[in-house]
Amino acid sequence: GESVGLHLPTLSVQEGDNSIINCAYSNSASDYFIWYKQESGKGPQFIIDIRSNMDKRQGQRVTVLLNKTVKHLSLQIAATQPGDSAVYFCAENRNRDDKIIFGKGTRLHILP
Amino acid sequence: EPEVTQTPSHQVTQMGQEVILRCVPISNHLYFYWYRQILGQKVEFLVSFYNNEISEKSEIFDDQFSVERPDGSNFTLKIRSTKLEDSAMYFCASRDLTANTEAFFGQGTRLTVV
């Protein structure tokens, strides 16, 4: 069946360092892969997405990498800041008309 | 910046009571969703709604759940007879498919069934 899962439940990173959050997926039919950030008491907030025909996409301080061969997705956050502390979810979308399927979150702690 | 608005932010209800969770999607969006998140767990899909009808629903969305778009702005989730295990955060989301944009989520309603 479909599943999107994360390798690690928590990640602690020193402020200013880069962080990498990983995710594995199993549904080869997915066309979009998405990263969401969820701060305490708030709803998921879109960070960046990548289409299945790409292997890398960059945003502001964030980069998403997609490796279709091993069905792996990662989110790189450069120069982490205290405001990056949150739970990060990877998600998949078979196509834009379809529901978004969330994986388990990774809690990112930024250490001072 | 336009946003999805949900009310109330917190709802406490007795087991067996009906609750209605309200959402105002972004005004030009046509595709709507409800998700729920039990504390500390992942965000689970409940239902999607397009063109005044349910597009897809999950196994969680049983006969106790219903959705409605009673007017041009509100999108509601009704739980007919709440159970303790319905306690969760409920998120509404909307999407403008014509612009091929991502889904925007509201801040959620925390439902506590006692």
Side-chain angles (χ1 to χ4, degrees):
Chain A
E2 302 172 352
S3 71
V4 183
L6 298 181
H7 293 313
L8 296 173
T10 60
L11 177 65
S12 295
V13 176
Q14 207 73 39
E15 183 179 347
D17 286 353
N18 299 335
S19 65
I20 300 175
I21 302 172
N22 296 303
C23 177
Y25 66 93
S26 60
N27 186 2
S28 301
S30 294
D31 198 27
Y32 290 92
F33 299 90
I34 313 156
W35 283 100
Y36 283 92
K37 174 185 180 182
Q38 187 179 29
E39 296 175 282
S40 181
K42 296 186 177 181
Q45 179 186 6
F46 173 89
I47 302 173
I48 191 168
D49 65 358
I50 187 168
R51 199 157 181 188
S52 60
N53 61 357
M54 301 170 66
D55 52 23
K56 182 178 180 179
R57 191 170 185 216
Q58 288 185 291
Q60 188 176 17
R61 282 201 307 118
V62 294
T63 301
V64 55
L65 299 176
L66 176 64
N67 185 333
K68 294 181 285 294
T69 303
V70 295
K71 297 181 183 176
H72 185 267
L73 185 71
S74 68
L75 176 71
Q76 300 177 0
I77 305 175
T80 52
Q81 304 168 357
D84 294 330
S85 291
V87 177
Y88 290 81
F89 292 94
C90 61
E92 60 155 336
N93 207 189
R94 279 181 297 187
N95 54 60
R96 282 304 198 194
D97 294 343
D98 196 23
K99 63 183 180 289
I100 299 165
I101 300 170
F102 285 80
K104 294 179 183 178
T106 290
R107 182 172 297 280
L108 179 64
H109 290 286
I110 307 301
L111 305 171
Chain B
E1 184 177 312
E3 60 180 12
V4 176
T5 306
Q6 290 185 242
T7 55
S9 56
H10 192 188
Q11 173 92 46
V12 181
T13 189
Q14 295 270 349
M15 188 171 57
Q17 295 295 306
E18 174 183 287
V19 292
I20 298 176
L21 309 182
R22 303 181 191 280
C23 170
V24 179
I26 295 173
S27 63
N28 61 336
H29 286 190
L30 301 175
Y31 213 99
F32 314 120
Y33 307 81
W34 281 101
Y35 285 80
R36 80 170 185 191
Q37 184 180 33
I38 295 170
L39 186 64
Q41 299 187 24
K42 67 179 181 180
V43 181
E44 299 175 291
F45 170 76
L46 292 178
V47 66
S48 56
F49 190 87
Y50 173 73
N51 200 25
N52 288 319
E53 61 183 21
I54 291 174
S55 298
E56 188 174 359
K57 58 185 180 180
S58 71
E59 292 177 353
I60 303 168
F61 195 89
D62 60 22
D63 291 344
Q64 294 300 311
F65 290 87
S66 62
V67 289
E68 194 177 31
R69 188 155 163 82
D71 53 45
S73 60
N74 290 285
F75 178 52
T76 61
L77 174 69
K78 181 192 291 186
I79 308 175
R80 216 177 318 276
S81 177
T82 50
K83 303 186 286 290
L84 294 176
E85 53 265 38
D86 292 328
S87 295
M89 284 289 289
Y90 287 80
F91 293 105
C92 173
S94 70
R95 175 184 255 173
D96 175 10
L97 289 183
T98 59
N100 199 30
T101 60
E102 73 274 11
F104 291 84
F105 284 77
Q107 298 295 314
T109 292
R110 178 173 298 283
L111 176 66
T112 303
V113 182
V114 296

